[in-house]
Amino acid sequence: MNKFWIILVHTYLNKLKTKSFLVTTLLTVVITLGLTNMSNIIEVFDKGGDKEKVAVLDETGQLYEPLKEQMSSLNKNLQLTEFDGTEKEAEKAVEKGEYVGFVQLRYNAEQLPEAKYKAMSVAESAIFSDLQSGLQQMKTMLAASKINLTPEQLQQLYEPVSFEKIALEENAKTEEELNQARGLVYVLLFVIYFAVIMYASMIAMEVATEKSSRVMEILISSVSPIKQMFAKILGIGLLSLTQLAVLLSVGYFSIKRNMSSLEGGFFDAFGFGNISLSTIAYAVIFFILGYFLYATLAAFLGSLVSRIEDVQQMITPMTLLVVAGFMIAMFVLGKPDSPFIVITSYIPFFTPMIMFLRVGMLNIPVWEAALGISILMATIVILAVFGARVYRGGVLMYGKSNSFKDIKKALQLTKKE
């Protein structure tokens, strides 16, 4: 057992000190701080920026002022200027960079406003959308005045209909709780997806590196391959928890510090202020179980190759399983109670993401979550027993080996020992 802990600590510290781990952690911390401070960053750049100027070529002589008034409430960073010239002159002014674009106003056959917008590029959709919204509101008011509607009647006509969604199922989540759960589930699914792929691949690379450098021959003469395999899995598991603890701590405190500036955006719709402890507990459980499931797979698949170049090819089917589970979870984020999701949540390779999606979004019975966790744990045990046998023979195999037929060879080698 002493040698087991020596390998575990060595694997953990060795990976912890590598430049790639330190750079990845630092880079991810910077990205996390950038995302959680995005409003402040945009504000800093906006302070020095000028308003976007748009020329208005009003052929009616009546629409410029109403449009300017509408736009002052829609987009305060847009500055409308009445252009006194021809269409060609306006085009040249835009080409010289005096304006980002110009809008040409005229009346149609029904004496209602219509417009044409020209700019060097129409890729900037925000200006076009705001101008269209302003013109639409102006056209509505003119049309209403033609049929003698009062402002009060017009307000009633366009007042949003009251539409409340109520779930009849007992203990069902409200719409607000669902939005909050959806935001958390969305973020955690990404964390599980990237962490499982990254750390499982790290284990496979670690095993293949030791085989290619012949260090493995020294190791297996002093420590049993099974102890090696599980020591590496636990060592890199501790490494993943260390990195996630750093990132989640930085992200949490940064969000709390900038909560006032984040109101009204993503964090308002997908609030993180009322996360239930049970959801966090399930996230930790499914992350750890998902890691052990794919780490065990990666360890024995990595033991079958002798060259680092062959690792990616060997673990590609495992990676595709993770991608499939993630894509299913993403596609059904808006429909977590469909029969397809219920069935796939019990398939162990998809359970870490899809069962977590269900427990995060729905109030499912505890036994369903427990059944999914039990199936997942049983699969991990079976894979660990089978993987240990493959690993014991796999580390003794050298030469070109990038086929799943090598699993049979590894098992035969294990029997001969």
Side-chain angles (χ1 to χ4, degrees):
M1 183 57 76
N2 192 29
K3 292 176 181 174
F4 171 85
W5 291 109
I6 290 172
I7 295 177
L8 189 154
V9 173
H10 172 76
T11 303
Y12 174 72
L13 292 178
N14 191 38
K15 288 290 178 187
L16 190 70
K17 294 174 184 173
T18 56
K19 282 185 182 177
S20 59
F21 176 80
L22 294 174
V23 170
T24 305
T25 306
L26 186 63
L27 192 62
T28 318
V29 165
V30 171
I31 292 172
T32 305
L33 287 173
L35 289 174
T36 50
N37 287 277
M38 189 57 72
S39 299
N40 296 329
I41 295 170
I42 292 172
E43 194 176 331
V44 169
F45 281 95
D46 282 348
K47 280 180 182 174
D50 296 326
K51 288 187 175 182
E52 293 176 295
K53 294 180 181 176
V54 173
V56 179
L57 194 61
D58 185 9
E59 295 180 2
T60 68
Q62 298 175 333
L63 296 176
Y64 169 68
E65 288 299 336
L67 179 63
K68 189 177 180 181
E69 189 178 341
Q70 288 290 336
M71 295 309 299
S72 63
S73 59
L74 281 174
N75 189 341
K76 292 180 180 176
N77 291 321
L78 200 64
Q79 182 181 338
L80 296 188
T81 305
E82 190 169 17
F83 189 81
D84 187 15
T86 63
E87 184 178 348
K88 288 289 180 188
E89 288 171 339
E91 286 180 9
K92 286 182 180 176
V94 172
E95 288 171 359
K96 288 178 182 175
E98 296 175 17
Y99 303 97
V100 292
F102 79 92
V103 59
Q104 195 171 5
L105 300 175
R106 63 165 68 96
Y107 283 129
N108 62 14
E110 289 80 26
Q111 289 302 299
L112 292 172
E114 65 177 17
K116 184 166 60 177
Y117 178 70
K118 288 187 178 180
M120 293 303 290
S121 168
V122 291
E124 175 59 72
S125 59
I127 295 176
F128 175 79
S129 300
D130 289 341
L131 284 169
Q132 191 177 27
S133 299
L135 280 166
Q136 182 63 47
Q137 290 177 14
M138 200 168 66
K139 181 183 176 183
T140 303
M141 285 191 295
L142 286 173
S145 66
K146 285 180 181 294
I147 55 176
N148 297 321
L149 281 179
T150 64
E152 291 75 20
Q153 289 172 321
L154 187 65
Q155 186 178 0
Q156 286 180 349
L157 188 65
Y158 285 97
E159 196 171 67
V161 64
S162 175
F163 194 85
E164 191 176 359
K165 289 193 282 187
I166 299 173
L168 293 176
E169 190 180 3
E170 193 177 355
N171 297 324
K173 292 187 176 179
T174 63
E175 188 174 8
E176 185 182 2
E177 289 171 334
L178 272 175
N179 284 337
Q180 291 183 346
R182 189 176 290 115
L184 175 68
V185 169
Y186 192 78
V187 171
L188 289 180
L189 280 174
F190 268 99
V191 172
I192 293 173
Y193 171 72
F194 285 111
V196 166
I197 285 186
M198 186 168 71
Y199 296 115
S201 300
M202 195 182 288
I203 291 175
M205 292 291 287
E206 174 84 3
V207 175
T209 303
E210 288 181 354
K211 275 188 72 176
S212 63
S213 63
R214 301 284 176 172
V215 173
M216 187 64 76
E217 294 176 9
I218 301 171
L219 283 175
I220 59 176
S221 62
S222 56
V223 187
S224 74
I226 295 174
K227 282 185 181 177
Q228 285 180 44
M229 185 177 93
F230 289 109
K232 288 182 191 305
I233 290 173
L234 286 174
I236 293 181
L238 286 176
L239 187 79
S240 69
L241 291 177
T242 304
Q243 193 172 42
L244 284 175
V246 172
L247 298 179
L248 293 178
S249 300
V250 171
Y252 177 78
F253 286 111
S254 185
I255 287 172
K256 283 289 180 187
R257 186 182 172 86
N258 298 290
M259 189 58 81
S260 58
S261 64
L262 296 171
E263 288 178 356
F266 175 85
F267 290 90
D268 196 28
F270 299 101
F272 290 90
N274 299 314
I275 301 170
S276 67
L277 288 175
S278 62
T279 306
I280 295 173
Y282 276 124
V284 174
I285 290 170
F286 283 115
F287 172 78
I288 292 174
L289 292 179
Y291 166 76
F292 276 109
L293 177 77
Y294 285 103
T296 309
L297 258 177
F300 81 76
L301 289 175
S303 72
L304 296 173
V305 299
S306 306
R307 300 186 310 162
I308 298 172
E309 295 85 352
D310 296 332
V311 171
Q312 287 304 323
Q313 185 178 345
M314 183 59 81
I315 66 172
T316 296
M318 180 201 78
T319 308
L320 291 177
L321 282 174
V322 183
V323 173
F326 179 74
M327 294 305 292
I328 292 171
M330 285 291 108
F331 277 120
V332 297
L333 202 56
K335 200 174 181 182
D337 54 350
S338 67
F340 175 70
I341 291 304
V342 175
I343 293 169
T344 50
S345 67
Y346 293 110
I347 299 174
F349 295 106
F350 302 147
T351 300
M353 285 178 271
I354 298 179
M355 184 59 83
F356 173 64
L357 169 73
R358 292 185 63 210
V359 296
M361 297 287 294
L362 307 170
N363 281 324
I364 64 172
V366 175
W367 70 265
E368 290 191 22
L371 179 61
I373 291 171
S374 302
I375 293 173
L376 185 56
M377 290 177 71
T379 308
I380 292 171
V381 171
I382 292 169
L383 270 178
V385 173
F386 178 74
R389 294 178 63 190
V390 174
Y391 188 93
R392 188 184 296 174
V395 293
L396 301 173
M397 293 167 51
Y398 283 94
K400 189 177 180 182
S401 54
N402 52 13
S403 165
F404 283 92
K405 291 178 182 175
D406 294 319
I407 294 176
K408 188 178 177 182
K409 293 179 186 175
L411 289 172
Q412 288 171 345
L413 272 175
T414 303
K415 287 178 183 176
K416 289 177 183 177
E417 282 190 350

